[in-house]
Amino acid sequence: MSILVIDDEAAVRDAYRLLFSSPAPSRSLSRADALAEELFGAALPPPVSREAPAFEVSFAAQGLEGIELAARALQEGTPFKVAFVDVRMPPGIDGKETARRLRAIDPDLQIVIVSAWSDHSVTDITAVAGPADRIFYICKPFEPDEVRQMARALCERWDNDTRQLMVLRAKIAELAASEARAQHIASHDFLTGAANRMAFQNRLVERLEAGPNDLFVAFLDLDHFKHVNDTFGHDAGDEVIRMACAAFCARAPEGTMVARLGGDEFGVLLTGTDRETAVATCQGLLETCSGDFSVFGNSVFIGASCGLVDGSCHPDCDAADLMRFADLALFAAKQDGGQTVRVFDKQLDASQQFRQRIEAGLFYALASAELSIHYQPIVASDTLEVVGYEALLRWNSRDYGTVPPGVFMPIAEESPVTLLLGDWVVERVLCDARGWPGKFTAINFSPRQFQRQDFVARLAAEARQNGLAPALIQIEVTESTLRAHARQSRKIVDELRAQGFRVAIDDFGTGASSITHLQDLAVDAIKIDRSFIEGMDRDRPSAAIVTALSHLAAGLGLDIVAEGVERISQRDVLRQLGCTHLQGFLFGQGQAVERVLSASGGEPSRSAAG
């Protein structure tokens, strides 16, 4: 028990030395004990046998000397636990100033002010040497037992506080490590260990804040990759992706970010270079992935294509624009035959022209029966029976052929056509849904649809018109939609659930997911994005994320739907992890309403058929 005594009187220091060096006397009959025995006739309890503590005491005759001892002890890793400080110590600094400096040196030190004088108030000393729970007072002359007992109690308290602090620090370190692991998992691709799309986009945003000069964004895509998957299987495809990523990382200049954006597509962020060097760098990356590769004993020929964007040519564009430009340049490189680098330019984009053509095409599609709805089954994980369908919008254009939803939907959501498109989808889907009574139907809604003032009223009226119970209609919106106008979103969700509709958060986990969102929004279900499902049956971090989301949903009483289930192994793992519903090609692709009704034995209504 390490103790510091600061007192200018040698006799007092000797008294401290004697009382701390001599063992504690056995319990004697105090005046209070004697009085109690005389008054109540109660026998005293037997003395408690307790080993006397071993005190290690250092002495100082002045405040500055004591401060020096405290600083040295702290530096050596053997800090004092308790300091007994006299108030008056002429000609040096007094006890108040000594206590203040001691507290500044060691915030954990417990200080006992000892004085026979009242020239310093308790409040004054506590104000400069507090907190109040670490400063105490004893008056001279003091009883040896009083000092010894206080020293022992405060030393034991210091030990306990230190142990608790160590436990707390260990827990903080454990939480920090866990958070770091979670952040790493959330920002890295499970298969290659490289950064993922979200991390790539975040880095691009950060870099753009410093200016687009000497910034290049490149998208690379493997040629003939589908042939590898179809011929040798997904395991061989995964191995090719790992090999390609390793080759890109090895060839890329130091400090270059290489990310797997999804599937066989990679992103590269180049900085501190010029266009000629950037093109040469990308060409070198393509060369590393062009040729024969040995995969599981099989010879596989692959190549790669690259789209490159010079950030300095687009100073007013944001990260999403640059990534879209890179995607367009990559598509052009593919169209040119592959294994080449295509630099984005204005002619490639016709970005505005392209958007205008898509918008005009969608207006035309609404009037000319080019649009259709396909329905993908959703099964219960325990029985694997179909319990619902998700409505998927499809567009077969007379001018462009089959247009992927990933192309026209982002443009539609920023166009006035989105509300007309949404109304058409709701009317058609609720009419079709009458063909599978007892099964729910999931409908995706854009942010502009969801935030309409009359959204709930229009939806409820449409459900009544078709004779559908709201409980059989699931409203699906993304996290970003709910976060964009949080207060309004909560109001809409509450109104939907009051009407009896189901509400699900789509693509949960791909944005800034948080438990707070689920606590604030009384939703019925969350849908795990397919990116987490893709490799979870072979990848522990992905399985850990799905497990955590499943436990979270179970704890909040929510259904959890796993999207993108393509393999039996994924199905089995997801069932074990507690997902309530499954969806993906393993259970069926999206099909026209006629085929869905034919498979289920139902018949389309006249209006739906017409």
Side-chain angles (χ1 to χ4, degrees):
M1 295 185 178
S2 182
I3 296 174
L4 174 63
V5 173
I6 307 175
D7 199 297
D8 63 321
E9 295 185 32
V12 175
R13 294 197 299 274
D14 290 340
Y16 276 113
R17 187 175 288 107
L18 179 62
L19 69 89
F20 282 131
S21 61
S22 60
S26 60
R27 176 171 176 176
S28 59
L29 193 65
S30 67
R31 284 180 293 177
D33 291 334
L35 181 60
E37 187 174 9
E38 180 179 345
L39 289 174
F40 304 109
L44 292 174
V48 178
S49 175
R50 195 171 184 182
E51 183 179 351
F55 296 107
E56 298 178 4
V57 188
S58 298
F59 295 92
Q62 290 293 328
L64 293 176
E65 181 185 355
I67 292 167
E68 183 179 351
L69 289 175
R72 187 186 309 153
L74 191 63
Q75 185 178 8
E76 294 174 353
T78 57
F80 292 110
K81 302 176 181 179
V82 183
F84 288 86
V85 182
D86 187 23
V87 168
R88 287 196 171 188
M89 294 183 289
I93 60 175
D94 62 9
K96 177 182 176 182
E97 178 62 17
T98 300
R100 185 188 72 80
R101 298 191 189 184
L102 286 173
R103 177 66 65 224
I105 292 172
D106 187 354
D108 297 326
L109 180 64
Q110 300 180 101
I111 301 174
V112 181
I113 301 297
V114 185
S115 176
W117 303 91
S118 59
D119 48 349
H120 286 292
S121 71
V122 171
T123 304
D124 290 342
I125 298 177
T126 302
V128 299
D133 65 337
R134 292 191 179 276
I135 190 162
F136 307 87
Y137 299 87
I138 288 181
C139 291
K140 291 181 181 178
F142 47 72
E143 291 287 336
D145 285 346
E146 179 184 13
V147 174
R148 190 183 292 108
Q149 183 179 15
M150 177 171 282
R152 177 170 185 162
L154 292 181
C155 285
E156 290 178 351
R157 179 190 179 192
W158 188 96
D159 291 338
N160 182 67
D161 289 349
T162 301
R163 285 192 298 269
Q164 293 298 325
L165 184 60
M166 291 176 63
V167 171
L168 181 60
R169 286 173 177 168
K171 289 183 178 179
I172 292 174
E174 182 180 350
L175 288 173
S178 178
E179 182 179 2
R181 288 193 298 271
Q183 289 179 347
H184 180 84
I185 292 172
S187 60
H188 286 75
D189 172 55
F190 76 93
L191 185 62
T192 64
N196 60 16
R197 176 179 287 271
M198 180 177 67
F200 184 84
Q201 186 166 353
N202 290 341
R203 177 73 66 83
L204 180 55
V205 170
E206 294 172 1
R207 184 60 186 79
L208 282 174
E209 292 177 353
N213 296 330
D214 71 15
L215 170 66
F216 292 85
V217 179
F219 278 12
L220 297 93
D221 188 88
L222 302 183
D223 299 330
H224 317 299
F225 180 73
K226 186 176 185 300
H227 173 73
V228 175
N229 269 339
D230 292 344
T231 305
F232 303 106
H234 288 282
D235 289 341
D238 289 347
E239 182 63 20
V240 168
I241 289 174
R242 280 192 289 264
M243 294 170 64
C245 185
F248 289 149
C249 292
R251 185 66 179 265
E254 185 177 356
T256 299
M257 183 180 197
V258 177
R260 184 192 177 204
L261 305 180
D264 60 331
E265 189 174 20
F266 296 85
V268 178
L269 190 59
L270 299 165
T271 57
T273 187
D274 55 34
R275 177 180 287 207
E276 183 179 353
T277 305
V279 171
T281 298
C282 290
Q283 191 63 53
L285 294 176
L286 298 188
E287 292 173 0
T288 64
C289 280
S290 297
D292 289 322
F293 286 78
S294 178
V295 180
F296 302 150
N298 301 303
S299 180
V300 177
F301 178 82
I302 62 171
S305 303
C306 176
L308 180 65
V309 179
D310 184 347
S312 64
C313 296
H314 311 281
D316 298 326
C317 292
D318 59 16
D321 290 330
L322 294 182
M323 292 177 70
R324 188 173 72 251
F325 293 163
D327 213 8
L328 288 171
L330 174 60
F331 180 77
K334 290 277 192 181
Q335 293 293 100
D336 291 344
Q339 298 187 32
T340 185
V341 178
R342 184 69 183 268
V343 180
F344 176 82
D345 55 36
K346 295 291 185 181
Q347 292 180 352
L348 253 192
D349 170 76
S351 171
Q352 196 60 31
Q353 296 177 21
F354 176 75
R355 294 176 65 86
Q356 290 174 353
R357 289 198 302 270
I358 292 296
E359 289 182 19
L362 285 171
F363 278 110
Y364 178 83
L366 281 167
S368 57
E370 289 184 355
L371 298 173
S372 62
I373 305 292
H374 285 192
Y375 297 91
Q376 185 175 35
I378 302 172
V379 304
S381 63
D382 53 352
T383 63
L384 299 182
E385 294 180 356
V386 175
V387 294
Y389 296 94
E390 180 178 3
L392 305 172
L393 181 61
R394 296 292 182 260
W395 180 19
N396 188 22
S397 168
R398 67 172 185 178
D399 296 324
Y400 313 117
T402 300
V403 184
V407 172
F408 71 83
M409 284 306 300
I411 296 175
E413 289 178 357
E414 297 178 6
S415 163
V417 75
T418 188
L419 296 181
L420 297 175
L421 201 60
D423 291 342
W424 183 89
V425 169
V426 170
E427 180 181 355
R428 180 57 57 92
V429 170
L430 295 189
C431 184
D432 290 345
R434 293 183 296 183
W436 43 83
K439 297 182 174 67
F440 72 87
T441 304
I443 311 174
N444 293 279
F445 289 89
S446 70
R448 295 183 65 179
Q449 283 179 274
F450 188 74
Q451 297 296 335
R452 290 170 78 174
Q453 292 295 324
D454 59 347
F455 173 72
V456 178
R458 293 169 67 97
L459 191 61
E462 196 75 33
R464 286 194 299 271
Q465 182 177 342
N466 285 278
L468 289 176
L472 295 178
I473 303 171
Q474 179 165 292
I475 314 302
E476 295 191 0
V477 288
T478 62
E479 289 181 89
S480 58
T481 299
L482 296 174
R483 288 199 313 274
H485 304 281
R487 182 177 300 178
Q488 178 69 6
S489 295
R490 285 196 295 269
K491 180 175 178 294
I492 294 173
V493 169
D494 291 341
E495 291 177 359
L496 285 169
R497 299 198 72 208
Q499 292 280 349
F501 294 99
R502 289 172 54 85
V503 181
I505 301 180
D506 198 15
D507 298 336
F508 189 79
T510 58
S513 307
S514 73
I515 298 176
T516 304
H517 297 155
L518 295 181
Q519 291 175 326
D520 292 344
L521 296 166
V523 299
D524 300 279
I526 61 176
K527 301 189 74 173
I528 304 178
D529 186 68
R530 65 181 66 249
S531 61
F532 294 110
I533 307 301
E534 182 180 358
M536 59 162 297
D537 55 347
R538 303 185 302 275
D539 177 67
R540 182 175 297 177
S542 295
I545 292 177
V546 177
T547 301
L549 292 178
S550 300
H551 289 169
L552 172 63
L556 295 175
L558 306 179
D559 289 340
I560 184 165
V561 184
E563 298 180 288
V565 183
E566 298 181 358
R567 298 190 291 272
I568 293 177
S569 57
Q570 293 173 332
R571 178 201 68 186
D572 294 340
V573 172
L574 289 167
R575 295 176 76 180
Q576 292 175 359
L577 292 180
C579 291
T580 57
H581 297 79
L582 307 174
Q583 180 180 353
F585 289 168
L586 182 64
F587 310 105
Q589 302 184 22
Q591 296 181 340
V593 62
E594 292 80 6
R595 296 191 63 180
V596 174
L597 293 172
S598 175
S600 61
E603 295 182 1
S605 63
R606 291 183 179 180
S607 58

